[in-house]
Amino acid sequence: MNNYIGFENLKKFYNKKVKVKDCRNKEYMGIFNLYIKPGDNEPEIESISLETPYKYYDINTPDISNIEVLN
């Protein structure tokens, strides 16, 4: 099972600056400020949002390979 599926596994990162690495080795940095459960998301896959000064990144949690707290 992916360690980053389900809010219980993600809440320790909430409201923190994080670096997220996806399964394609792409990295995103920002404040984890939104968790979207599968029923509220299209195509019904849970995701998280990272806020940066310039944009928001929405990342599907099954695609996350690693999360690192930066602050």
Side-chain angles (χ1 to χ4, degrees), residues 14-31:
Y14 195 74
N15 279 332
K16 295 185 176 155
K17 186 173 183 181
V18 296
K19 178 168 62 170
V20 175
K21 189 174 192 180
D22 71 12
C23 58
R24 294 177 304 278
N25 287 325
K26 187 168 181 182
E27 293 182 345
Y28 306 88
M29 287 185 271
I31 306 290

Side-chain angles (χ1 to χ4, degrees), residues 3 8 13-14 18-20 25-26 29-30 32 34 38-39 45 48 50-51 54-55 57-58 63 67 71:
N3 292 333
E8 287 300 313
F13 303 109
Y14 195 74
V18 296
K19 178 168 62 170
V20 175
N25 287 325
K26 187 168 181 182
M29 287 185 271
F32 168 28
L34 184 61
I45 298 172
I48 64 170
L50 301 182
E51 178 184 358
Y54 308 104
K55 66 189 288 185
Y57 294 104
D58 289 321
D63 295 336
I67 301 176
N71 62 347

